[in-house]
Amino acid sequence: METNSRFETEAHLAGSCRFSAGPNVRKARISGPSPRTLLFTGFEPFNDFTGNSSWEAVSRLPDELPGMCIRKVCLPVEYRSVRVLLLEYLTEMKPDAVIMVGQAGGRAAITLEKVAINWMDAEIPDGANCQFSGV
């Protein structure tokens, strides 16, 4: 898959997973189970916001937990390009699970989205200055 350098500079990738097992690192990695990879995504600021609570929360996660490598990606708020970029990350990282975090203005608590509908409809333009209505 071709990489677009614009996305590489705009999307921020964090989480390095440095597992240290002392002098027997090679042996430990060969004989032990490989760590599970969890991918968390958040979004960059958009519109007139100076930050985005989704990325603020995700970026504060640890890089690793026992047996788990935590990767964190800050995605652009762009309808068209985010699909391509996310697919690149999924293909490259091959995570065992993905948790996508978003900002929902006006909510007082963290909520799970029960139903996600791919309906490109917004009152304001996205980060690429594209505005869609029910596409």
Side-chain angles (χ1 to χ4, degrees), residues 22-80:
N24 298 321
V25 172
R26 267 184 102 88
K27 185 177 180 186
R29 286 192 177 164
I30 292 170
S31 62
S34 50
R36 299 281 184 206
T37 300
L38 303 178
L39 173 61
F40 285 82
T41 68
F43 288 96
E44 67 185 6
F46 66 99
N47 199 16
D48 294 331
F49 296 100
T50 57
N52 190 309
S53 58
S54 69
W55 178 241
E56 290 173 24
V58 168
S59 67
R60 293 178 183 177
L61 293 169
D63 289 343
E64 58 189 66
L65 291 170
M68 286 186 251
C69 174
I70 298 177
R71 303 300 304 266
K72 300 166 257 185
V73 174
C74 185
L75 298 170
V77 181
E78 299 178 9
Y79 282 112
R80 290 186 174 135

Side-chain angles (χ1 to χ4, degrees), residues 41 84 110:
T41 68
V84 174
I110 295 174

Side-chain angles (χ1 to χ4, degrees), residues 117-135:
I117 300 172
N118 189 15
W119 189 259
M120 293 171 42
D121 187 47
E123 296 176 10
I124 59 173
D126 67 7
N129 205 30
C130 293
Q131 188 169 358
F132 299 94
S133 178
V135 177

